[in-house]
Structures are given as structure tokens and as C-alpha cells.
Amino acid sequence: MRKIINDPQAFVDETLEGILLAHPDQLRAVTADRRALARTDAPAPGRVGIVTGGGSGHLPFFLGYVGRGLCSAVAVGNVFSSPSAAQIHAASVAVHSDAGLLYLYGNYGGDVLNFDLAAERCRAEGIEVRTVLGADDLQSAPRERADTRRGVAGLVLVYKVAGALADRGGSLDDVARVAQKAADATRTMGVGLSPTVLPAAGEETFTLDEGEMEIGVGIHGERGSHRGPLESADAITDRFLAELGAELDLTAGRRVAVLVNGLGATPLEELYVIYRRVHRTLAEAGVEIGYRLVGEYVTSLEMAGASLSIMQLDDELEELLHDPAGSPFFRQGAAPVGQTIVADTTDDAGAASVETTLAGSPSALRTLLMRVLPRMEAHREELRTLDAALGDGDLGVTVAAGSAAVARALEQLPDDADARSVLRVAGDAFAAANPSTFAALLGSGFRAAAEATPEGTHLDRAGLTAAVRAVAERIAAQGGAARGDKTVIDVLHPLADALEAGADAAGVAVAAREAVVASTAWQSRRGRAGWQQERSVGHADPGSVAVTRFVEELARDDDSAGDPVV
């Protein structure tokens, strides 16, 4: 891996430190860890605050669109991982005024979960919040499931529209309405020519043979819809236009906005070759381009490739797109920079602290977890490889970092901590260590298990069975998954069944492995894996394998399980 970095684990924090030092007149940190940033002129009375956020590794997305005529604040996650609910809440409070907040971000499971949790906190504090999701990547799901599509470069155009109306003084109802209209009118399609490398993992997120391209690749390296020999720029652009034209009205008399975007390692010259073809083809069809952007607006570290976004325009959208805007990464018209404001580094201590309820007899659960969890580090590479085939390749980091964080958090509990306390602390620590969809879901699941466990007790078989079912039910409710969707709940339910039937540790591990083997033949229907559609068949669900490896480690601690067979 060749990157100009220091410690890979410090990559995001050092990036943020550099950005804040370079642009103190426009951006300020609102938390001590710098993971929540805001405009220097926010909040402003009567102005709707627009809060966005997502994983790092996509500059100038997301934080690059915090500025005049754009967003008000951003929460910043690790590379390709969601920010935490606490970070989003801190960004929200920093820019909240009497006009309310709009959450505007991409449709990714971890982001949705954490933004929803932050919204709940805000509403409990009397702050009105609306949400609009970018879901413009038409290759990530068929038209009948358009609401599950991921948000990619088209969201930049939505930022521009919503931010313009907010700075004009529009109401929360109007800003949310125009943002939704802009999102509904936008579609994107992309092509990848080479993978990206996550600094913490040091491995490519996918592989392409020499001379190959991947149509429909996601900005985290998710697999696309077609892989084949590299085509000419015109042929690739024609593919884009044909697919986009199937969902947008690209006929004579229509007006559109066009965004040609580079993914990080594509020369600007090649982007203009694509724009040339778009412009000529649309002109021949009688379609006028009323607004255009060409450059790097949403990247994926060093991935080579490009995307084409088109927004169907009406008079309102076109006028708002042309309003002035300015941030450290985006300039349009006469948008003056803000006054330098000293950063508020007050941390959200309440969100960062871990609540514990201590009672009952000595906790064998705490002791067991502290002994077993550090061994999950050994499965980092396997989980990374599995996740790279169906997602963005960060699950190995999430599980290893989360397991280590839980072990450290449990060390702080007294020896007589009850099972309810252990489960609650485990859930909070896992969710916060490397925020992502899996971390948020599993963390929430453990909190559900804690809620189902009486205070002052230790988990017997019945209690453990109830706890596992509570985890599965909470994950299903928050993630919208059902049994058969090829998610982690397809291994959790068999685990609970085995426990209820009286299986020993080895038998429970076997039940988990058998569940993973059975589901490998299914098609994934949820999350990033669901975007792979039929290409997910034959790949084991990474989250299910992670749970299975944990159960195997528990059983191995009992010295009664066989070797893994998945």
C-alpha cells in the first residue's frame, strides 16, 4: 500500500485537523474530537440548519459542502463508516436555530440508523427535524425498489438546491420540500476502473483484471451490475445516458442539470471527454443543459472511474442551482467567506459517557467476554475479504475495533456487574468504536438484550435465549430485515433455537455454521449486499460469519467446538 499517511488509525483525525487549520475562516469544530464541523456563521436566527454527514474518504463529499448556500454542519465518520449518533447530535445542536433542522445525507444503513437516533434526541429537546435521503444511484437497485438505492454524487446537486433556499430564509417545510423534489429528480450512474484501498485495512476493496471496467460500481467499492472489457469514453457515456434516459425525460424541450464526477484518480481531461459526449447527445435530442459541473465532487480515495448525474429541472430548481455558494471546496458566484470564529471544543459528554447499572452477583458474562473478545482480531482479514465481495470491506475493522472497545469498556465495570449492565456497556462500546451499519445495528441489539434482562441477575440459559432473540428482533426492526433476507438475523434465530433446545456450546456453534452455509446460496436483499442482487448468491453474509466466529470463540473457550467449516 502506497499512501502519504502517518498512522492509518489517525488518518481521519489528521485530515480534519489539517482542514480546520487551513480554513479557520469558514469551518469550526464543535466537538473536541473534531468529528462535528459547522459553518462559522451558523446558527443564524430564522435560517433552517442543514446537517449532513457520512464516512470519510470521499472528499469533497460530505464536509466539503458545508458553507454559504450549502449545508450548515457535518458529522464525520471513519473511512467509509457512519458517524455516530452523538457526533450527529453535536453537529445538530451547534447549528440549531428557531427555524428547525433538515437532515440531508445518503441512503446508507449505518447513516440512516445513526441520523434517526440523533433526530430522536433532538426532538426530545424540542428541536424540529426533517429528513431527506439521497438515493440517486440507479444501478444499486431496480426501479421498483428505488427507495433502497444508495446516495452518490447526485446529492451534491440536492445540497445546492436546499442550501440556496435555506439561505434565502425558506421555512423548514419549504426547504424539505425542495430538497425532496431535487432528490426525486436526480439519477446517477458510474463506472470503476481501479479499486480503492482503505488506509486501516491496507487492501484493495475489489479487483479488476487488466483492461476491465465495472459499470455501476459504488463509491465504497461495492460491485456493480456489469463487468467487462474497458470501452471507449463515448461507449461508456452512451451506456450512462441510455440507463438514465429510462427513468428521466430526456426528450426535446426538457432542461437538465449535469454533473460529471471523477472518483479520485481520473484525470480531469477524461471527465471533459465524457461531458463532450453528454452535451452533444443531449443537444441532438433537443435537451438543454441549464446547469453543469465537471470535476471531482464525490470521490472514493484513489479509485479510478467516473459518474454521470442528471437532474430534471423546473424553473424553481434551476433558479436555486444558480444561487451563489461557497465553501473551502466549492465556489459559485459572489459568496463571501465568514468571519473567523474560535472553535467551540465542548465535547458532548453526555453522549460519550456509558451508563452503567451495577448490582447482583459476580458476572461470569463479563469475565468470559473480556477473555474471548480480544481473539476476534484474528478474524479481521477474513471478514474484510468477505465484506469486500458484498459491501465496502470495512467489517473486519468494525468487528476487531468494536470487540477491543467492548473488552476495554468491560474492564471499567466492577467484578459484581450484573448481566444487564454488561450488555448495555457492550452495546454502547461496540456501536461507538467504528460507527457503521453493522456496529449501529449490533449495538442497538445489545441494548435491547439489556432491556430484556432483569437488573441484578446473571444470564441463565433461558435468559441468554431471550437476550439473543431480543438482539435479532431489534436488528430486524431497525434494519427492516426479515428472516430469509440473508442478514445476521438468519444466524441469530438458529442460535436462539439451539439454546432453547438445550444444545451445548459445540452444538450452538454448529447451528451457527449450518445457518451461514444455508444462507450462502440465497440472494441478499438488504443493505449494501442487496445492491449486488443476484451477484450476491454464493457469497456468505459477512455479518453472519462474524457472529459465527464469535460463537466459535466462545465454544472454543469451553474447549468443545470443532474447526470452522464456513
Side-chain angles (χ1 to χ4, degrees):
M1 178 177 70
R2 291 181 292 181
K3 287 181 177 290
I4 304 176
I5 60 176
N6 297 308
D7 179 359
Q9 303 301 324
F11 174 66
V12 174
D13 295 321
E14 291 183 349
T15 298
L16 293 173
E17 182 181 3
I19 288 171
L20 288 165
L21 290 172
H23 306 289
D25 57 333
Q26 297 175 73
L27 294 173
R28 61 189 175 99
V30 298
T31 55
D33 63 3
R34 305 187 188 92
R35 292 302 185 95
L37 310 180
R39 290 166 54 166
T40 54
D41 65 340
R47 185 174 72 202
V48 172
I50 301 177
V51 180
T52 190
S56 299
H58 301 300
L59 279 176
F61 212 38
F62 297 84
L63 69 86
Y65 302 105
V66 174
R68 300 293 180 88
L70 297 163
C71 298
S72 308
V74 63
V76 183
N78 291 328
V79 174
F80 296 0
S81 294
S82 170
S84 70
Q87 291 159 349
I88 298 164
H89 177 259
S92 304
V93 172
V95 298
H96 164 59
S97 71
D98 54 334
L101 297 174
L102 174 67
Y103 282 178
L104 181 56
Y105 58 96
N107 188 22
Y108 295 90
D111 295 329
V112 171
L113 288 168
N114 283 301
F115 269 91
D116 283 352
L117 290 171
E120 289 178 9
R121 289 189 61 180
C122 287
R123 293 184 182 116
E125 296 165 5
I127 302 174
E128 189 174 3
V129 180
R130 305 286 178 80
T131 296
V132 172
L133 298 178
D136 52 304
D137 188 354
L138 61 79
Q139 288 285 294
S140 58
R143 192 169 190 170
E144 61 270 19
R145 292 196 291 113
D147 61 333
T148 69
R149 289 173 173 171
R150 56 199 173 213
V152 286
L155 189 55
V156 173
L157 299 174
V158 184
Y159 286 152
K160 186 69 192 63
V161 167
L165 188 56
D167 273 19
R168 287 186 181 188
S171 68
L172 180 57
D173 284 343
D174 275 344
V175 174
R177 174 192 58 80
V178 80
Q180 190 63 64
K181 180 168 76 167
D184 291 342
T186 305
R187 301 289 187 277
T188 298
M189 190 168 171
V191 62
L193 306 182
S194 70
T196 187
V197 177
L198 275 66
E203 299 287 342
E204 295 180 341
T205 53
F206 65 93
T207 58
L208 282 173
D209 292 337
E210 187 69 28
E212 276 193 323
M213 67 175 185
E214 180 110 11
I215 295 289
V217 68
I219 60 172
H220 305 97
E222 301 99 334
R223 296 181 69 184
S225 59
H226 166 78
R227 178 174 293 192
L230 178 62
E231 299 172 355
S232 68
D234 285 356
I236 291 171
T237 307
D238 289 345
R239 278 182 179 269
F240 290 168
L241 289 170
E243 295 286 346
L244 294 167
E247 297 197 11
L248 298 173
D249 184 4
L250 303 181
T251 58
R254 301 311 302 249
R255 292 179 66 79
V256 298
V258 169
L259 167 60
V260 178
N261 177 63
L263 293 177
T266 301
L268 190 58
E269 290 87 345
E270 295 178 21
L271 302 181
Y272 277 103
V273 172
I274 293 174
Y275 179 79
R276 157 194 161 275
R277 183 67 169 187
V278 172
H279 189 102
R280 289 186 174 183
T281 302
L282 292 181
E284 290 171 1
V287 179
E288 295 186 43
I289 298 177
Y291 183 83
R292 62 191 59 81
L293 295 172
V294 181
E296 290 191 334
Y297 293 89
V298 175
T299 65
S300 184
L301 294 175
E302 68 274 68
M303 186 189 296
S307 65
L308 171 62
S309 301
I310 296 181
M311 175 187 283
Q312 198 92 56
L313 295 180
D314 61 11
D315 290 343
E316 181 183 39
L317 293 177
E318 185 168 357
E319 181 179 322
L320 291 169
L321 282 172
H322 283 285
D323 270 16
S327 80
F329 298 85
F330 186 91
R331 282 285 183 274
Q332 179 175 298
V337 298
Q339 298 294 317
T340 301
I341 295 180
V342 177
D344 175 9
T345 58
T346 303
D347 199 5
D348 188 349
S353 66
V354 179
E355 180 189 357
T356 58
T357 303
L358 308 175
S361 58
S363 174
L365 177 63
R366 170 181 173 270
T367 303
L368 178 63
L369 290 176
M370 289 172 58
R371 188 165 62 243
V372 169
L373 282 170
R375 302 208 292 262
M376 292 303 293
E377 172 67 32
H379 304 292
R380 176 195 290 256
E381 179 58 22
E382 177 196 21
L383 297 176
R384 184 205 68 77
T385 302
L386 289 170
D387 194 39
L390 292 179
D392 57 13
D394 72 339
L395 186 68
V397 174
T398 295
V399 171
S403 298
V406 172
R408 289 193 299 271
L410 293 180
E411 288 178 357
Q412 306 307 310
L413 292 179
D415 291 340
D416 62 352
D418 65 352
R420 184 184 180 98
S421 302
V422 171
L423 290 168
R424 183 185 294 119
V425 167
D428 289 348
F430 192 86
N434 190 56
S436 64
T437 304
F438 186 79
L441 286 171
L442 204 62
S444 181
F446 270 93
R447 286 194 67 89
E451 294 163 7
T453 303
E455 291 187 17
T457 64
H458 176 58
L459 287 180
D460 57 13
R461 179 178 290 272
L464 182 57
T465 302
V468 174
R469 293 207 190 280
V471 172
E473 289 167 5
R474 176 66 62 83
I475 290 175
Q478 290 202 324
R483 295 188 72 167
D485 283 347
K486 193 174 177 178
T487 70
V488 69
I489 66 173
D490 290 307
V491 71
L492 289 173
H493 282 295
L495 281 179
D497 293 343
L499 286 167
E500 194 168 48
D504 60 11
V508 174
V510 168
R513 290 196 291 267
E514 289 177 346
V516 173
V517 171
S519 67
T520 297
W522 306 346
Q523 178 174 318
S524 300
R525 295 176 182 166
R526 303 299 303 179
R528 287 177 178 156
W531 295 333
Q532 302 301 321
Q533 301 175 56
E534 68 277 359
R535 297 175 74 176
S536 63
V537 174
H539 292 279
D541 174 62
S544 297
V545 174
V547 170
T548 300
R549 295 295 177 253
F550 175 66
V551 173
E552 288 170 344
E553 292 293 352
L554 289 173
R556 234 179 242 116
D557 202 69
D558 194 50
D559 198 28
S560 57
D563 293 331
V565 296
V566 176

